[in-house]
Amino acid sequence: VTPVINTVNSTLVSVQQEGDVKERDFAGSGTLQIPKLPKMAMSYDTSKIDTSDLFRTDKTDNYGLSMDYSVPVQKAYLPRTVQMGYKLSRLKLNFTDGALAGATDPFSVSNTKDDTQEINAKLSFQPLPGFTFNPNFSRSTTRETKEVLFSTSSVEASTQTLTYDKLKSQTMGLDGVLAIKRWFSPRLRYSVTNRETYGIPLLTNPAASDSKTVDRTDTGEAAWDFAWRDFTNRLRPLQSLNVVSNFLIEDGDSWQNVSGGYNSLNTFSA
């Protein structure tokens, strides 16, 4: 039970923690590992938060599945390891009648469901001794369903179901090591991330999700570390000398009022 924030002058809590807040959590996980077969892992966790001052109940369920596999056949064109994962998150926001009284926008106190799906994959290759190559990929999509209210003056206000995309993001990247010599083993890394943030429907603009903001960023990095002892054992005062060098370049752009039907996740050019 937390007092109103402005009475305790604290920044350690938010308005969602004022008053009587009850939270219940549960989590479980398991792993299935059979020799020569992929290792499978499963997880589940759930939480429920009742906030009396907001007349609101948050319920979250997370389901996870992952696979790790070490390829027994060692070929230059085959990956050494394979990692894959999938996660489904479901969030339900339910409001009681008291939430309508102090709401400025009835859409903000309408019952809402969010479904978020995440997938990721990573491969590790070693075509030559000292040469590693690791591509990776991840994507996340959130779709929301809202039982919107159009009036705060009556509990019996008419409702309408809206279903729309809320967020999409995708990251593709790679990293590797080029161990040409003991003293020359540069590390390389590159990733590009596209993120689409859709508008949130409000009473003043119920069709806000028809447009979105697109943010794109990419990062490239090269690093090279070497020690004097990698060249020679002579000049003992320099045996502890280590040289660390790094070059990083980042780029990005942002686009607003993009049509919701335009797919920018696989777009690389400006």
Side-chain angles (χ1 to χ4, degrees):
V1 178
T2 304
V4 179
I5 292 177
N6 57 17
T7 63
V8 295
N9 193 25
S10 174
T11 59
L12 300 180
V13 295
S14 67
V15 293
Q16 295 184 4
Q17 297 170 306
E18 291 181 357
D20 185 12
V21 180
K22 297 179 180 179
E23 181 174 355
R24 294 167 292 278
D25 300 278
F26 171 81
S29 62
T31 303
L32 176 63
Q33 188 168 2
I34 301 176
K36 298 182 180 181
L37 292 179
K39 181 175 70 173
M40 307 296 296
M42 295 163 286
S43 64
Y44 170 73
D45 63 83
T46 180
S47 67
K48 186 176 182 180
I49 303 175
D50 294 321
T51 309
S52 59
D53 283 12
L54 299 180
F55 306 96
R56 167 176 162 173
T57 299
D58 300 46
K59 190 177 188 303
T60 305
D61 293 286
N62 296 312
Y63 308 85
L65 177 66
S66 64
M67 183 200 75
D68 294 324
Y69 184 52
S70 297
V71 180
V73 181
Q74 303 296 321
K75 298 291 185 178
Y77 53 85
L78 292 178
R80 296 297 179 93
T81 61
V82 179
Q83 297 176 326
M84 301 182 68
Y86 172 79
K87 183 179 180 181
L88 172 62
S89 299
R90 289 180 170 170
L91 170 64
K92 295 181 180 180
L93 304 180
N94 291 327
F95 296 88
T96 58
D97 299 341
L100 288 172
T104 57
D105 191 315
F107 279 40
S108 65
V109 292
S110 299
N111 292 342
T112 304
K113 298 179 182 179
D114 281 2
D115 283 352
T116 301
Q117 299 189 60
E118 303 175 41
I119 59 173
N120 62 81
K122 184 176 182 179
L123 305 177
S124 62
F125 293 86
Q126 189 175 3
L128 297 172
F131 176 36
T132 61
F133 173 69
N134 309 308
N136 61 82
F137 171 86
S138 65
R139 173 176 284 193
S140 175
T141 60
T142 300
R143 193 163 178 82
E144 188 167 87
T145 300
K146 188 182 290 290
E147 301 288 341
V148 297
L149 301 170
F150 287 93
S151 174
T152 59
S153 60
S154 173
V155 177
E156 303 298 331
S158 60
T159 62
Q160 178 181 345
T161 301
L162 294 181
T163 301
Y164 48 89
D165 291 321
K166 185 178 181 180
L167 179 67
K168 292 182 180 181
S169 65
Q170 176 178 285
T171 298
M172 294 181 288
L174 58 90
D175 63 81
V177 177
L178 301 174
I180 300 175
K181 294 289 185 179
R182 182 179 179 182
W183 54 270
F184 187 65
S185 299
R187 303 186 304 275
L188 305 175
R189 177 176 67 90
Y190 177 77
S191 67
V192 55
T193 299
N194 288 16
R195 184 181 180 90
E196 299 180 345
T197 305
Y198 291 75
I200 302 298
L202 300 173
L203 182 61
T204 55
N205 186 11
S209 60
D210 291 341
S211 63
K212 59 188 175 184
T213 299
V214 177
D215 298 292
R216 300 184 296 180
T217 59
D218 63 294
T219 302
E221 182 180 16
W224 175 33
D225 307 338
F226 66 89
W228 179 263
R229 58 181 176 274
D230 294 335
F231 294 97
T232 178
N233 291 327
R234 299 178 180 179
L235 298 177
R236 293 185 61 84
L238 298 180
Q239 293 303 301
S240 61
L241 175 64
N242 292 278
V243 178
V244 179
S245 60
N246 175 275
F247 176 77
L248 176 69
I249 183 172
E250 296 179 328
D251 188 22
D253 54 67
S254 180
W255 303 82
Q256 296 181 347
N257 298 321
V258 179
S259 173
Y262 176 71
N263 182 12
S264 70
L265 297 185
N266 298 320
T267 303
F268 293 93
S269 61

